[in-house]
Amino acid sequence: MKENISLIILIILVTACSNHRKSKIIHPSRQNLALGENGHIINAEAKISQKKEDDRWFLPVLDSTRQISSIGKLQGDRTELFGFIGDTAIDSRWRIYLLDTHKQLIGVYNRDGSYITSIGGKGKGPGEFEFARSMANYNNKWLLVNNGYRIEIYSIELKKIKLLKTVKLDKRTYSICVCAGKLFVHFTGLMNQDNEDEIKMNKNVNMIQAFALPSFEPLFSFGRAYKSTYPMVVDRLSEGDISCNEASSTVMFTFAHMPVVEGYSAKDGHHKWKTRVDGLHFPEIIQQNKGEQLGALEYTPPKDIMDRFIPSVTFDGNYEILQVRRQTFHKDKFGSREEGLTFLLDSVTGEGSLVSKKLPFIYNASHHLAVTVSDDYITSKIYKF
């Protein structure tokens, strides 16, 4: 009897030690995907909404009869060739700005597709780009370009576009937007000395900073980063894009590696809502720990389908177009097929629904123009609405 009891105790101790030695955590975790108060779920596999108000905004607008021009070709002059169109902007003169993140160059065009000029180019000097990734229009006076640790500012009030100044930042920018007289900057590279101790203690870390315009005075920070005790996981899963809705004074953050969108007040940064899109296919990060030591990370992409968000776009008042690029891989064929899922999101509440699987990828919609970018990122079409 005593031998049996001793054996049971030994098994329990061995099991406990074994569990202590090894643990597996799958990211994104349930904790980070949980909705909490003011949370909403959108089903990506639901039937497409047939509401008349949804049709009014979407189906007639990007009809082929409303297309007024196309920019970009497979062959032609250098002003017509793009490596990767990463972002777009429109000003009150109906000029179209296309940011080529491969060339680190912004091409400027009339709405009829004719070339006007170029901005930037690879380099470290004033007005040159190294890490340009997104743009923002400030009151049709300035074009702001995030460029790593700098914001390049161009005057767009007059016919001639010119560089005004460069504002240096102490952290690297990932994406920017403008709303309520403020510039909002999403910083990447959260794994630094200032944040590392807070991350290891499982505390919330802010990833968005508000600046007053035109002074660029720092105002407040907000935006909850991905929560984990592993700094590398926090850094990776906190990547994403911010977008601003002027009508509702809302700043939205769309995570790049998990199906979550969050809304914050542009006034003071307080959290308004959180929306999760179920039915999407995102990669997983498996964290293998050994005791108290942080172990290796294993990146596991989906097998057949890979989804990712593109930045949301204000379309009509407080409504936002939220789109997903879906890449489907064929088992028996080389290559893949890409399609878009389009959701309509209310930036006031975070509620939304799937409205189309046929629309092109919309990167901007303002001044009665909509700018789309092709599946291969090398051409753009301009529509009037």
Side-chain angles (χ1 to χ4, degrees), residues 3-18:
E3 292 179 355
N4 290 339
I5 294 174
S6 299
L7 180 60
I8 292 171
I9 293 173
L10 180 62
I11 292 173
I12 292 172
L13 289 174
V14 170
T15 303
C17 290
S18 176

Side-chain angles (χ1 to χ4, degrees), residues 19-85:
N19 289 337
H20 179 71
R21 284 196 302 268
K22 294 182 180 180
S23 65
K24 181 172 73 172
I25 301 175
I26 298 177
H27 300 283
S29 66
R30 292 183 179 180
Q31 175 192 14
N32 285 280
L33 293 174
L35 295 175
E37 189 178 358
N38 296 326
H40 306 282
I41 295 176
I42 299 176
N43 188 355
E45 298 176 343
K47 291 184 178 179
I48 294 174
S49 173
Q50 297 298 321
K51 295 180 181 179
K52 291 182 179 180
E53 56 265 31
D54 294 342
D55 292 342
R56 184 190 71 214
W57 278 311
F58 285 99
L59 300 183
V61 169
L62 298 184
D63 185 88
S64 59
T65 60
R66 294 176 178 263
Q67 181 183 332
I68 58 176
S69 65
S70 178
I71 304 172
K73 296 180 180 179
L74 293 176
Q75 294 180 337
D77 186 81
R78 63 179 181 82
T79 62
E80 300 176 305
L81 302 178
F82 293 93
F84 191 101
I85 301 174

Side-chain angles (χ1 to χ4, degrees), residues 233-296:
V233 172
V234 174
D235 206 44
R236 173 67 173 171
L237 292 182
S238 297
E239 292 179 355
D241 291 283
I242 55 173
S243 52
C244 292
N245 188 292
E246 190 75 51
S248 64
S249 193
T250 302
V251 179
M252 284 151 294
F253 183 80
T254 306
F255 285 89
H257 305 293
M258 63 178 187
V260 172
V261 184
E262 302 205 54
Y264 300 89
S265 168
K267 180 180 179 181
D268 55 14
H270 82 261
H271 188 262
K272 298 172 69 174
W273 49 262
K274 181 176 182 178
T275 298
R276 188 179 72 230
V277 184
D278 289 348
L280 298 182
H281 304 263
F282 282 81
E284 290 182 339
I285 296 177
I286 300 175
Q287 176 184 335
Q288 300 282 2
N289 293 338
K290 295 182 179 180
E292 296 181 357
Q293 299 296 319
L294 298 177

Side-chain angles (χ1 to χ4, degrees), residues 51-216:
K51 295 180 181 179
K52 291 182 179 180
E53 56 265 31
D54 294 342
D55 292 342
R56 184 190 71 214
W57 278 311
F58 285 99
L59 300 183
V61 169
L62 298 184
D63 185 88
S64 59
T65 60
R66 294 176 178 263
Q67 181 183 332
I68 58 176
S69 65
S70 178
I71 304 172
K73 296 180 180 179
L74 293 176
Q75 294 180 337
D77 186 81
R78 63 179 181 82
T79 62
E80 300 176 305
L81 302 178
F82 293 93
F84 191 101
I85 301 174
D87 196 18
T88 71
I90 308 171
D91 68 18
S92 58
R93 291 175 175 267
W94 294 307
R95 290 179 294 201
I96 313 298
Y97 301 80
L98 301 181
L99 170 58
D100 189 329
T101 56
H102 280 185
K103 293 182 178 180
Q104 289 293 290
L105 188 74
I106 297 173
V108 186
Y109 301 83
N110 286 311
R111 61 177 177 173
D112 63 4
S114 58
Y115 173 77
I116 300 175
T117 188
S118 294
I119 299 172
K122 290 185 178 180
K124 299 182 180 181
E128 295 178 325
F129 305 144
E130 288 185 283
F131 307 106
R133 190 179 180 276
S134 64
M135 302 177 288
N137 182 335
Y138 171 53
N139 289 344
N140 291 300
K141 295 180 180 180
W142 291 356
L143 179 72
L144 307 177
V145 184
N146 79 316
N147 183 26
Y149 290 87
R150 308 184 314 194
I151 302 291
E152 311 291 350
I153 305 170
Y154 294 87
S155 172
I156 58 173
E157 283 187 281
L158 304 177
K159 185 176 181 180
K160 184 178 180 180
I161 300 169
K162 61 179 181 180
L163 177 69
L164 287 182
K165 61 180 178 179
T166 296
V167 175
K168 294 184 179 180
L169 304 173
D170 59 357
K171 297 178 183 177
R172 183 172 173 178
T173 61
Y174 195 86
S175 59
I176 62 174
C177 71
V178 170
C179 182
K182 304 178 186 73
L183 168 67
F184 296 94
V185 179
H186 167 228
F187 290 111
T188 187
L190 296 174
M191 192 180 69
N192 54 52
Q193 192 172 3
D194 295 336
N195 294 329
E196 194 161 346
D197 290 339
E198 292 185 348
I199 289 173
K200 289 180 178 179
M201 294 172 65
N202 208 24
K203 292 184 177 180
N204 283 321
V205 175
N206 290 338
M207 55 185 176
I208 301 173
Q209 175 69 45
F211 296 87
L213 290 176
S215 67
F216 284 90

